[in-house]
Amino acid sequence: MTARVDGGTIWLVTKPSRGKTAAAERFVSIGTPVNIDEPFILNHRSTNSFLTVNSNQTDLTDFGLDLEVYSTRENGRGKISIMEAEFKGTAMPNNLSKPDLLSNELIFITASDPSQAVDNRSLPLPPSYEDLLDDLIHSLKANGLTSLIELRKSFQDLDRATGSSGSTLRPGSSGKNSSGNNDVPYGGILSGKLSLEDIKTALTSCDIITQDGYYDPLFQNLDHLHDGHIDYRELLGLLRGTIAPTEEQSISSTVSSRIDYLRSFW
C-alpha cells in the first residue's frame, strides 16, 4: 500500500461515507493510515466499484471458511444533488456520495491473545517430484494418443526458433533455412535444451496449464546446471518411459495411418 495514488493504483482504501454523515471525514482522511478495528472500503479505481462479500456463498477449505468476493456499484438510497452542490461550491464528488452499504465495509481483525495466532491446522503436504511427474503424464494422456509426439515437435520447433544450440554459422552462410527464415542455426542443429519459459510455452500449446507455477518444482529439479534451462529430451524420456507397450504401438499405428493418408495426396 502507498499513501499516494499513482497510475498503477488499482484499489483505493477509503473510509465509509454513509452518505452525508461521514463524507467530509472520508475526504480529509485521504493518505492517512488505516487503523485496526476501524471499518474501511476498497474502491476499484478504474470502475469506481466497491469490493464486497457474499456471505451466502461459502466454501470450506483446508485454510478455513472462504467467502466469495466481488465488485459492486450498489449504494444505499438517498439523493446526493452533486451538480447543485458543485455549482454552489459547497461539495465535490470526493466528499459527497450516496450512503454505502454495510456489505461494502471491511475491517482488519487481529488476535488479542498470542495463543490465537498459533496455527494448528493440518494442511496437505506439497506435491512431490513423483506426484508432479505423474500429474503431467496423466494430463498429456488425457489430451490424446499423439500428445507426446506433438509436445516433442513443439520442443524442437522452439529449439530451432531460439537457436539455443549456440552453434556458429559457417563463414559466408546466411543461416537461413529452406524457407528463407533466419531462425534456425546452421544445419538445423538442435541443442536439446530450452528455457523454463519455453518449456511452459510448449506445454501450453498442448493444453497443459503451467501459468500457476504448479509444475515449477518439477522443472527446477530437471535444471541440473541451475542456469534456467533443462534438457527437454530428458523430460520426454521421463514422460515416454511410463507408456505401456500397447499404448506405444497404438500411437505408432495412429501416426503411420496419418502419414499414409497425407501421402495419398502427394
Side-chain angles (χ1 to χ4, degrees):
M1 292 185 178
T2 58
R4 295 182 178 275
V5 179
D6 55 25
T9 300
I10 300 177
W11 294 95
L12 299 173
V13 182
T14 60
K15 285 181 178 273
S17 68
R18 302 189 179 99
K20 297 181 180 179
T21 305
E25 184 179 351
R26 168 190 282 186
F27 181 71
V28 299
S29 66
I30 295 177
T32 59
V34 179
N35 297 322
I36 298 296
D37 298 332
E38 285 189 6
F40 64 91
I41 289 178
L42 283 177
N43 186 21
H44 193 242
R45 179 170 173 263
S46 60
T47 62
N48 195 30
S49 58
F50 302 118
L51 187 69
T52 189
V53 176
N54 181 9
S55 58
N56 296 323
Q57 185 67 35
T58 60
D59 187 19
L60 185 60
T61 68
D62 294 326
F63 300 95
L65 189 65
D66 282 355
L67 301 176
E68 183 183 43
V69 295
Y70 61 97
S71 294
T72 179
R73 299 189 67 176
E74 296 179 359
N75 298 97
R77 297 180 180 179
K79 297 181 179 180
I80 52 179
S81 306
I82 290 180
M83 293 185 65
E84 181 182 358
E86 286 184 341
F87 181 78
K88 293 180 180 179
T90 57
M92 295 181 294
N94 285 337
N95 63 358
L96 183 62
S97 62
K98 286 186 177 181
D100 306 306
L101 298 176
L102 288 177
S103 57
N104 296 336
E105 296 186 12
L106 307 173
I107 193 170
F108 285 114
I109 299 178
T110 57
S112 56
D113 186 350
S115 63
Q116 295 178 355
V118 178
D119 192 351
N120 296 319
R121 296 173 297 177
S122 178
L123 301 179
L125 296 174
S128 64
Y129 168 84
E130 291 76 14
D131 293 334
L132 293 173
L133 182 59
D134 191 56
D135 285 349
L136 185 55
I137 291 169
H138 280 82
S139 298
L140 281 171
K141 287 183 176 180
N143 291 337
L145 292 174
T146 60
S147 58
L148 188 62
I149 296 176
E150 293 170 357
L151 179 61
R152 180 183 63 184
K153 183 179 183 303
S154 182
F155 283 154
Q156 291 174 345
D157 289 343
L158 283 170
D159 195 354
R160 292 189 182 95
T162 56
S164 55
S165 62
S167 57
T168 6
L169 294 177
R170 182 177 297 175
S173 63
S174 63
K176 295 183 178 180
N177 58 17
S178 57
S179 303
N181 298 324
N182 290 310
D183 55 3
V184 182
Y186 175 74
I189 301 174
L190 298 176
S191 70
K193 286 195 170 186
L194 287 173
S195 68
L196 300 182
E197 292 305 316
D198 287 337
I199 293 290
K200 293 180 181 180
T201 299
L203 288 169
T204 302
S205 69
C206 294
D207 297 326
I208 306 296
I209 300 175
T210 61
Q211 287 83 356
D212 57 0
Y214 176 71
Y215 293 109
D216 283 359
L218 171 63
F219 301 147
Q220 292 166 2
N221 189 277
L222 296 175
D223 181 12
H224 304 300
L225 298 178
H226 305 290
D227 59 354
H229 292 74
I230 70 174
D231 190 332
Y232 60 81
R233 295 168 298 188
E234 179 184 0
L235 177 58
L236 289 172
L238 293 171
L239 300 175
R240 187 186 302 111
T242 59
I243 299 178
T246 54
E247 293 181 351
E248 193 167 338
Q249 183 179 359
S250 178
I251 292 174
S252 300
S253 174
T254 303
V255 174
S256 299
S257 62
R258 287 190 176 184
I259 292 176
D260 293 340
Y261 174 75
L262 292 174
R263 283 178 176 171
S264 64
F265 293 94
W266 295 348

